[in-house]
Amino acid sequence: MAQLAIAGGDPVRTRPYPDWPHGDDEDVAAVEEVVRGGRWGGFPEPGPKAAAFEEAFAVYQGARHGILMANGTVTMEVALKALGIGWGDEVIIPALTFAATVYAPIAAGALPVIVDVTPDTWTIDPDLVEAAVTPRTRAIMPVHLGHQMADMDRVMEIARAHGLAVVEDCAHAHGQRWNGTGAGCIGDFGSFSHQSSKIMTAGEGGSLLTNDDRLARLAHSIIDCGRPKDDAEMEYTFGANYRLGELPAALLTVAMRRFPAQQEQRAELGASFEELAAGVPGVRVMPHDPRITRWSFYRYVLAIEPDGFAGRTNGVICDALEAEGVGAWTGYEPMSNYDLFQPSLSRLPVAVEHADRLDPAMMSFPVAEAAGLRESVYIDENVFRSDHRGVEQAVEALAKIQRHADELPAG
Ligand SMILES: Cc1ncc(COP(=O)(O)O)c(C=O)c1O
């Protein structure tokens, strides 16, 4: 008789893990206040709810300024534009991330230069960043992926040595700290997503954080059709409407109040998960970087070694985990093999010198390819908002799949 749920056996967990997004009467009251108050839109920018959230989030993360906008994709485009980055410039990004990270430089008119990630973190490889710097390079965009952070010590060292800007993609890293400094407060800008799956959400939305007064004013201006901001000296910029409305902003003020308790719970359950999962044969848990001084993560990312799972790869393992009652996802495809990354459609390759480097067929990212196509398994965040039993069951599911891997479908 089959043991694995995917093959007809009983699942490890029958009770669902907690829902996400989590909403209750407090959210309803916050939205109702905006609806009845009549100030729905984001103009004049920022609206009162947006301003309240910007301040609370910036304080929590440790930045001087927060700028709330439509999503965590345009945040990065706005950051690059505020930094004066555009035509002919190069921006270095990692090969394993969501399409938004590579979209942003293209949208700003710059050439994304893609480099591989490290096997220990699956975040941008600083040695490869250094090797990719040219006289045209203007910025590095590290991505803090899953529960990991990019090596910000090395990234900042390289940026300083070459006079480059740094825009951190923190879509997965609300609450994380690196050597005591909040994610998104280390480089020139930090970019956060508030899209539904993210851990501080209003369904949609995005935030930039910065410690630089001038960059903050420019970002506010760019998202508000170029209007000058709070400064008699400031002139118009070239901008568009990327404002967020007051209804999602109100939801974010509630999400912010709830966040510290959720962060603590995720960190505690994440630590027990990591300890238990490290004992499962065929599972590689990445080294825990002690420079991550407050742990707060989107999903926990681990590597399965196909040899330990009868040759099966991450897609089948994720399906099997789902069947056992544990949400899991394979994560991003590498940029060399990514459905959502179609650079030729941007027309950038016909416009920019050296844009032939954007042809996926010419790319080779061995670490990102091994991760995205065979090894990476992202365990859903709701496991880390359940309880110790929930965490044990997630690990039991992994161990059971490993023990009975020969029951898995091919793939
Ligand atoms: C790493 C990364 N960067 C950027 C984004 C873009 O955020 P949004 O969906 O808010 O545009 C996401 C979210 O999907 C992401 O995972």
Side-chain angles (χ1 to χ4, degrees), residues 26-374:
E26 216 187 331
D27 302 85
V28 175
V31 170
E32 186 178 351
E33 187 194 325
V34 175
V35 171
R36 295 193 189 285
R39 168 68 201 265
W40 293 9
F43 178 81
E45 191 278 343
K49 295 290 180 195
F53 172 73
E54 287 170 345
E55 190 181 346
F57 184 46
V59 166
Y60 184 71
Q61 213 63 18
R64 278 171 65 83
H65 304 282
I67 308 105
L68 182 62
M69 61 194 85
N71 56 62
T73 301
V74 295
T75 41
M76 292 183 280
E77 176 191 337
V78 169
L80 294 173
K81 287 179 171 171
L83 287 159
I85 294 171
W87 293 109
D89 296 331
E90 294 180 1
V91 176
I92 302 175
I93 68 147
L96 201 60
T97 178
F98 184 54
T101 323
V102 70
Y103 168 84
I106 296 178
L111 180 69
V113 172
I114 307 168
V115 302
D116 209 348
V117 294
T118 76
D120 277 356
T121 62
W122 288 340
T123 63
I124 201 161
D125 185 331
D127 291 339
L128 298 177
V129 170
E130 198 144 33
V133 173
T134 74
R136 286 183 292 270
T137 308
R138 295 286 312 281
I140 311 169
M141 291 179 56
V143 178
H144 303 311
L145 191 80
H147 70 279
Q148 297 283 22
M149 288 186 78
D151 182 344
M152 289 308 294
D153 295 353
R154 287 286 313 284
V155 167
M156 293 310 293
E157 207 179 279
I158 298 165
R160 281 187 208 105
H162 297 276
L164 308 177
V166 173
V167 177
E168 298 168 66
D169 184 347
C170 308
H172 299 185
H174 314 67
Q176 294 266 60
R177 283 201 186 147
W178 178 264
N179 286 330
T181 303
C185 310
I186 308 165
D188 298 87
F189 273 115
S191 162
F192 294 80
S193 166
H194 304 302
Q195 174 266 344
S196 315
S197 70
K198 303 304 186 311
I199 56 179
M200 190 182 286
T201 187
E204 299 288 353
S207 286
L208 279 178
L209 297 182
T210 182
N211 286 318
D212 185 304
D213 300 352
R214 190 186 66 90
L215 288 177
R217 277 199 301 277
L218 276 170
H220 275 295
S221 175
I222 291 168
I223 67 168
D224 191 21
C225 311
R227 292 183 174 87
K229 294 285 167 178
D230 307 334
D231 183 344
E233 301 291 299
M234 192 178 167
E235 299 191 345
Y236 284 88
T237 58
F238 188 69
N241 177 8
Y242 288 166
R243 298 181 304 256
L244 190 71
E246 286 286 277
L247 291 158
L251 287 173
L252 283 169
T253 60
V254 180
M256 183 65 246
R257 283 200 290 278
R258 284 194 192 112
F259 189 81
Q262 290 171 343
Q263 177 271 319
E264 264 185 48
Q265 188 189 17
R266 285 193 193 99
E268 191 198 325
L269 294 182
S272 1
F273 175 85
E274 187 166 75
E275 205 181 314
L276 295 171
V280 178
V283 168
R284 185 157 49 85
V285 165
M286 300 192 186
H288 199 110
D289 195 324
R291 293 172 296 179
I292 301 177
T293 45
R294 183 171 68 194
W295 211 24
S296 176
F297 58 90
Y298 168 55
R299 294 181 187 183
Y300 187 94
V301 186
L302 52 81
I304 61 102
E305 285 164 352
D307 285 350
F309 282 80
R312 308 306 200 277
T313 55
N314 53 352
V316 174
I317 310 297
C318 288
D319 291 346
L321 279 166
E322 292 277 353
E324 298 295 342
V326 179
W329 172 57
T330 53
Y332 305 112
E333 293 159 332
M335 285 293 162
S336 47
N337 191 335
Y338 190 6
D339 288 345
L340 266 185
F341 176 52
Q342 299 291 334
S344 63
L345 302 181
S346 73
R347 297 189 51 76
L348 187 69
V350 291
V352 180
E353 200 190 348
H354 301 301
D356 51 335
R357 278 183 285 168
L358 276 185
D359 180 356
M362 309 283 283
M363 295 176 184
S364 166
F365 305 118
V367 181
E369 284 158 18
L373 303 176
R374 293 188 291 280

